[in-house]
Amino acid sequence: MAWVIAKNIIKAVVLGALLAIAALIVYWFFFASRWDWIPKYLPLLLRGLWYTITLLALSCLFGFLLAVPIGLVQVTGPGWLALIAKSFCTVIRGTPLLIQVWLLYYGFGSLFPQIGMAWPGFKEHFMWLIRLDGYWYALLAFTLSYAGYEGEVMRGAFLGVPRGELEAARAFGMSPAKVARRVWFPRAVRLVFPTLAGETVLQLKSTPLAFTIAVMDLMGVTSKIRQDTYLTFEPLMLLAVLYMGLTFILILIFNRLERSIPTRR
Amino acid sequence: MADKPGFPEILSLGNTGYGDELLWGAVMTLNIALFAYGIGLSIGIVGAICKLHGSKLTRSILNGYTTLVRAVPELILILLLYYAGTAALNALLASLGYGAFAINGFMAAVIVLGFVQGAYSTEVLRAAIMAIPVGQLEAARSFGMSPWMEFRRITLPAMLPFALPGLANLWLICTKDTVLIAVVGYTELALATRQAAGNTKMYFTFFMVAGAIYLLISLLSQKGFNWLEARVRRGQRVQV
């Protein structure tokens, strides 16, 4: 009996606290927050959204194109290539993405002008390398990171395709290249499709790191708004909501793609 | 190059090198990661049990927590919780008549990272508990074990083999997520490295060294978790 009363009291307290928090948020949203900066910064925000989306899409595309050979050589050999691929995956997966981004941006960013000073020919031919802005370094870092994580996934995928299917393909007289293209690769991708979807969502959630190297993606625009208007929460709240929306859209796209894969169930 | 120290000397301990600063940063990184992981695990155990056995209200609260935290980038969550947490605490203190309170950067980092980790470990542990054959739990209950004894003797050891791969992954994510604290301005390994690199303009050297330290932490942890997994799997049938 005492337990039932205690349980109801706890329930009432928890509900009360939740309602109080909800009321506070509603009050803050309608009476204490400022949103008048949105029209002024809308073009910048849209461009930031575009940067974020292209960073994600291009890095996933190029990263996946790199991941396929990285996974494949770890299964087929030759040994020395497999070793290189395996160490690449270990290094990428064992170090924080932020350190990789900073190494590429500050490291290469300071190296190119030095080479340019030592060797004037470099400056003439590779001026574009010296002038690259943060976006391209971020894209390179994200691409390599995606390749590292997905290379490991693809290795498992290539190993997971049943041997009998590959043997059947070979028995039909397909050349090794044709077996890989028509049977091995499509079967492997289907096996790990849900994993790839999850990893792409993770990749989306690491894109805001680009703002640390002065890329004006969504996060970069947000921090500029925060500096200009001295507002702390409102831009961050908007950013969180935008990222949530992007995450759900991405999940929706992947669910639709997954349903288009024919399976026997 | 007489007055400027070169590659190996720049990493020495003491006044001329940055070795001690980097080491201190690495210790801070490990500290933050350990405490945050501990908080995350505690939230995870309570959250997983409540998600499985709790009332409808508890479950919907927890579902909201795990979904929200996992849909928003960690960096944004950390900034939001850091600023919102300090502002809310100061408002609370002000309304109680106390003065403003400068939040300890270390505490804030640990709590915020732990809160984020908690959402992920709730899901890992819930899945692991659900993977236990239900007959084992029914057997424990039919022996008259109390819920606590059932958890300690049956649920915990039986779920560990299922949970450990996920938990190992979470620990690796946790050590790597500590760099996000650098963005808030708390000095751990990443920020110490950036400061050292900025002072000396030896960006390549310092970021390489920092990367090597993080890699070392990851590899050693992986070894530890492999050993742990072999230990909790002892007595299980070896799969051929």
Side-chain angles (χ1 to χ4, degrees), chain A residues 93-94 106 149 205 226 247, chain B residues 70-71 83 120 176 194 218:
Chain A
R93 283 151 41 99
Y106 292 112
Y149 281 93
K205 294 200 298 166
R226 286 177 58 206
T247 308
Chain B
R70 293 189 305 163
Y83 292 118
Y120 288 90
K176 285 185 279 173
R194 197 177 149 170
S218 296

Side-chain angles (χ1 to χ4, degrees), chain A residues 18 90 93-96 98-99 102-103 106-108 110 149 205 208-209 211 219 226 232-233 239 243-244 247, chain B residues 61 68 70-73 75-76 79-80 83-84 87 120 176 179-180 183 190 194 203-204 207 211 214-215 218-219:
Chain A
L18 276 180
T90 311
R93 283 151 41 99
T95 53
L98 187 65
I99 294 285
W102 283 355
L103 174 71
Y106 292 112
F108 281 109
S110 67
Y149 281 93
K205 294 200 298 166
L209 286 179
F211 108 99
M219 180 83 199
R226 286 177 58 206
T232 321
F233 300 118
L239 186 64
Y243 262 101
M244 251 186 274
T247 308
Chain B
I61 294 172
L68 274 185
R70 293 189 305 163
V72 178
L75 179 63
I76 297 168
L79 285 176
L80 254 180
Y83 292 118
Y120 288 90
K176 285 185 279 173
V179 297
L180 301 179
V183 178
R194 197 177 149 170
Y203 291 102
F204 239 96
F207 286 125
Y214 280 112
L215 191 60
S218 296
L219 291 178

Side-chain angles (χ1 to χ4, degrees), chain A residues 234-256:
Chain A
E234 288 87 343
L236 277 177
M237 285 284 197
L238 180 71
L239 186 64
V241 170
L242 282 176
Y243 262 101
M244 251 186 274
L246 283 178
T247 308
F248 289 127
I249 291 173
L250 202 59
I251 290 174
L252 220 69
I253 293 173
F254 272 106
N255 277 348
R256 184 157 287 182

Side-chain angles (χ1 to χ4, degrees), chain B residues 7-237:
Chain B
F7 163 58
E9 300 90 66
I10 201 80
L11 293 173
S12 65
L13 307 176
N15 285 334
T16 49
Y18 285 91
D20 46 343
E21 276 85 352
L22 291 191
L23 268 183
W24 177 243
V27 170
M28 284 325 285
T29 285
L30 274 178
N31 265 337
I32 295 175
L34 272 176
F35 279 105
Y37 192 63
I39 292 179
L41 264 188
S42 321
I43 295 178
I45 291 174
V46 174
I49 292 173
C50 288
K51 228 177 176 179
L52 288 170
H53 302 293
S55 65
K56 215 170 178 183
L57 174 71
T58 344
R59 267 183 292 157
S60 40
I61 294 172
L62 283 169
N63 271 335
Y65 163 59
T66 50
T67 316
L68 274 185
V69 168
R70 293 189 305 163
V72 178
E74 282 86 343
L75 179 63
I76 297 168
L77 270 180
I78 285 170
L79 285 176
L80 254 180
L81 289 173
Y82 191 83
Y83 292 118
T86 25
L89 197 67
N90 276 333
L92 194 71
L93 283 175
S95 69
L96 293 175
Y98 294 98
F101 172 73
I103 250 186
N104 178 343
F106 181 79
M107 286 302 290
V110 163
I111 291 171
V112 169
L113 265 185
F115 184 79
V116 175
Q117 281 274 313
Y120 288 90
S121 42
T122 299
E123 289 300 307
V124 168
L125 291 173
R126 188 182 65 99
I129 292 176
M130 274 174 42
I132 302 173
V134 78
Q136 296 186 5
L137 299 179
E138 282 168 358
R141 248 165 271 157
S142 68
F143 268 107
M145 286 191 187
S146 68
W148 168 240
M149 190 187 263
E150 180 196 326
F151 176 76
R152 191 164 47 94
R153 286 213 186 147
I154 311 294
T155 314
L156 192 65
M159 80 167 181
L160 272 181
F162 302 114
L164 261 184
L167 292 182
N169 221 346
L170 276 185
W171 164 251
L172 293 179
I173 292 175
C174 188
T175 53
K176 285 185 279 173
D177 269 359
T178 54
V179 297
L180 301 179
I181 300 300
V183 178
V184 188
Y186 188 69
T187 309
E188 36 65 76
L189 182 52
L191 198 59
T193 310
R194 197 177 149 170
Q195 283 160 353
N199 287 346
T200 56
K201 307 283 171 221
M202 296 168 76
Y203 291 102
F204 239 96
T205 319
F206 277 107
F207 286 125
M208 283 287 194
V209 170
I213 295 175
Y214 280 112
L215 191 60
L216 193 71
I217 295 175
S218 296
L219 291 178
L220 286 181
S221 324
Q222 232 155 23
K223 276 249 152 49
F225 272 107
N226 283 347
W227 174 82
L228 212 62
E229 201 181 329
R231 193 177 149 75
V232 297
R233 276 188 192 280
R234 74 198 188 282
Q236 277 193 350
R237 209 170 289 154

